[in-house]
Every structure is written in structure tokens, then in C-alpha cells.
Amino acid sequence: MSALKFRLPPNDGPVLSVVDMHTGGEPLRIVLSGAPVPSGSTLLEKRRWVRENMDWVRRVLMLEPRGHQDMYGALLVPSEEAEAQLGVLFMHNAGYSTMCGHAVIALGRFALDYGLVDPQGPETPINIHCPCGIVRAYASYSGGRSGQVRFHSVPAFTLCTDVPVDVPGYGKVVVDVAYGGAFYAFVSAERFGLDVCSSRTRDLVDVAGAVSDAVKAQVKINHPDSEDLAFLYGTILTDGRDAYSEEPTANICVFADSQVDRSPTGSGVTARIALQYHKGLIQLEQTRTFKSGATKSLFTGKAVKETACGDYKAVIVEVCGRAHYTGTASFTLESDDPLKDGFLLK
């Protein structure tokens, strides 16, 4: 058969072009073209405007039949911050997050490869404006190719530790809550008789979802800078190995609407490092390796300096990982398609 020309047949809908990547197995769909430019003078205002006025872009690209339950996306937008080289809004199956480390790692490569930032060897600094603030990424570049990316996130801190919450079906559960650009509840999977590396994903999701619901209902989440940041994003189940070790410590993150992160979770590693530092379990510049219970992929993380976030003692955390390209695509919506707006099958 002769080669067929790559094109979309005539259609009456918008065309959204994307680049697909993954970081440690966690997908990232980056919108190249076809989406309107959001209104708003600040990134958080743009985030609210997108949520209220152009959520169709998220639904079309994240949900079926073009996406899936665990798809993740990035919409590049103008930033009001002079030092930022790009601004980004993050999308998932339920809405819009405030920070995403795996996406920052992928966007570091993308920014070099797509000419948003001129590459410098051996490492190029890239300031990425996320809804939580400026995240400083450093992308390696050698022989004409981008590679590993590390980033310094916004100040990370512990909100509360050893908080008892009543979790229906599981009784009283003691959790920690920490912030790494987003808030997470932390608890060892062993508390539920589970293992983050070998238990059924469905069982881990059920437990994590129940914990998230309980924490949202019973723990007041607040952030010194903005109410837009003051919400629990998800629950991270760990292997309980919080004390410093050269061996990897595993976790699995369940966020948004029962969405499972395939990577070790960049913002989760940031929050978990802040929690370990708060408890005196690690020191500055002590690198830890974090393993995804889902894919066994690895990130490294370390606290690089002390700082503050409002009245909270905080740390700047460095996370390092590697992203890879998986392809490009163009998606359209046909007006006579009853499922054109996307759906989610659970």
C-alpha cells in the first residue's frame, strides 16, 4: 500500500495540535495550537477564566475518546512575570492543578527543543511560571539534544503532622499534610495492609480516595499567599521509609478524580522532602531517591536551602528526572459527534 498523506479530512470544528511526552511513565499532553488565549492579568486569573470559559479544551484533550482517565495536560499561556520565559496551566481529569513536577521536567526539554528558550550547554536555566509561582528549571543540553531536567520549586512546607482523621471503612487514620506547590496528605500504605509496589492499584486508589475525602472534610487547608492554592490535591501512600537512606523509598500518588500518577510525583517529592526535613529525618543537600510504586521509575530530591512561606518554616527543594517524547497529534471536534465534548468512563 502506498503511503497515505497525513491529514484530517474536511471538518467543521477547531483543530488542536499537541505534543505528547511522558516523565517516568506519567503522560503530558502539551497544547501547541488551536486553543484560545485566556483572559486575565495574572496567571491565577487566567486559570480561573479557563476553568469558567474554555473548559472544553481540557475535556476534549484529557477525556475519552482522545484522552483517558489518567491523562495530564499543559496549556502554555502568557505570563505577567518579567523573569518567566513561559507560563503554564496544568490540566487533568477533574480540573486544573497549581503545580506539576513531572510536567515541569517535560517542559524543560520542550522549551529547548521547540525554540522557546535558546539552549546553553551543558545546562540551560528556564523560569517556568506555574499557578503556584515561579519554578526554576535547569535542562541539560549536549550534542544538540536536551536531556535530564532538575528544578527548584516554590517554598515547600509542612502544614500539620500526626493529625487523626476518621476515614469511613478504615477507622481513625493519622496523616501528615505538606505542601510542594500543591497540598498532599501522607500516610503509609502499611496502615491499610497494603504495599505501594505490589498491591492492586484499585485497592490503593480506594484507600487514597477515602483518605483524601476525610482530610478535605476534617482538616482546614490554608496557604499564606492565596486562597487559590488552599486545597488538598490528593493523597500519597508511602512505604513508610521516611528516614534517610541511600535506598529508594517508594510511594504512589492518587489525585484529582481518582487519577493515579505513574511517576514518583514531582510536587509530591517536593512536599515529602519538606515533611522529612521538618521531622529532622534528612539534612540539607542529602539526596534521596523516590520510586513510583506504579512503574518503578525514579526521581531524586533534596532540600537545598531553608526559607519561609508566610509564618511557615519552609525549604527550597530540588527534584530531578527525565522526560521522553511519545509523539504528536492533531485532534478535531465534529459538530455532529454526540461525544465530541469528551466523557469519562470509570
Side-chain angles (χ1 to χ4, degrees):
M1 178 183 290
S2 61
L4 298 176
K5 185 178 180 181
F6 177 73
R7 63 179 177 83
L8 285 167
N11 63 84
D12 56 2
V15 175
L16 294 163
S17 295
V18 302
V19 171
D20 279 1
M21 303 180 72
H22 82 89
T23 310
E26 178 68 359
L28 183 69
R29 178 161 285 169
I30 304 168
V31 184
L32 276 184
S33 64
V37 178
S39 294
S41 58
T42 70
L43 196 70
L44 286 175
E45 287 178 4
K46 291 181 176 72
R47 179 173 174 264
R48 288 192 291 270
W49 192 90
V50 167
R51 186 171 56 212
E52 295 167 4
N53 297 280
M54 55 178 282
D55 193 51
W56 66 270
V57 173
R58 179 191 67 84
R59 291 186 57 85
V60 164
L61 295 178
M62 299 299 100
L63 307 186
E64 297 182 59
R66 303 167 192 85
H68 53 77
Q69 159 79 18
D70 299 293
M71 179 56 75
Y72 203 95
L75 178 66
L76 302 183
V77 298
S79 167
E80 75 277 11
E81 297 288 348
E83 62 180 319
Q85 288 147 303
L86 64 151
V88 61
L89 299 178
F90 303 119
M91 306 180 290
H92 50 68
N93 69 11
Y96 303 87
S97 55
T98 54
M99 172 55 186
C100 179
H102 94 270
V104 165
I105 290 169
L107 287 169
R109 287 198 69 192
F110 174 86
L112 298 185
D113 297 331
Y114 280 77
L116 302 182
V117 178
D118 292 331
Q120 306 168 20
E123 194 175 59
T124 304
I126 306 164
N127 292 334
I128 301 175
H129 188 187
C130 304
C132 63
I134 297 289
V135 175
R136 306 184 190 283
Y138 303 87
S140 62
Y141 193 83
S142 178
R145 295 195 62 180
S146 58
Q148 180 175 269
V149 175
R150 61 187 179 94
F151 67 84
H152 290 177
S153 192
V154 295
F157 61 90
T158 297
L159 180 71
C160 52
T161 60
D162 300 323
V163 178
V165 292
D166 292 314
V167 182
Y170 302 98
K172 196 172 292 294
V173 177
V174 176
V175 303
D176 300 323
V177 180
Y179 178 80
F183 283 100
Y184 296 96
F186 291 87
V187 61
S188 172
E190 188 179 18
R191 162 62 180 79
F192 308 95
L194 299 175
D195 184 286
V196 292
C197 292
S198 61
S199 293
R200 291 195 320 160
T201 302
R202 181 72 262 167
D203 294 336
L204 294 165
V205 168
D206 288 345
V207 162
V211 171
S212 288
D213 289 344
V215 172
K216 288 175 183 177
Q218 299 169 45
V219 179
K220 172 64 175 174
I221 304 292
N222 58 78
H223 192 283
D225 295 339
S226 173
E227 278 301 307
D228 284 315
L229 306 175
F231 64 95
L232 188 80
Y233 189 33
T235 290
I236 295 180
L237 301 175
T238 77
D239 60 4
R241 298 178 59 190
D242 288 320
Y244 176 75
S245 169
E246 293 184 357
E247 294 299 314
T249 175
N251 52 234
I252 192 164
C253 173
V254 180
F255 65 97
D257 185 2
S258 301
Q259 191 160 341
V260 181
D261 197 328
R262 272 69 171 160
S263 80
T265 308
S267 54
V269 166
T270 303
R272 199 171 170 205
I273 285 283
L275 182 61
Q276 292 171 356
Y277 187 80
H278 175 82
K279 291 184 173 183
L281 300 175
I282 59 169
Q283 306 301 314
L284 291 179
E285 297 293 345
Q286 263 189 328
T287 299
R288 292 216 66 186
T289 301
F290 295 83
K291 179 170 69 174
S292 163
T295 63
K296 310 304 182 284
S297 59
L298 303 175
F299 288 171
T300 60
K302 63 180 178 180
V304 295
K305 70 175 181 179
E306 293 181 335
T307 185
C309 187
D311 293 332
Y312 294 99
K313 292 182 179 180
V315 286
I316 298 299
V317 176
E318 178 178 295
V319 178
C320 184
R322 181 72 188 263
H324 294 86
Y325 292 97
T326 55
T328 61
S330 293
F331 297 103
T332 191
L333 295 76
E334 295 189 294
S335 60
D336 61 349
D337 179 1
L339 299 177
K340 64 180 181 297
D341 297 322
F343 63 93
L344 199 59
L345 188 63
K346 297 185 181 179

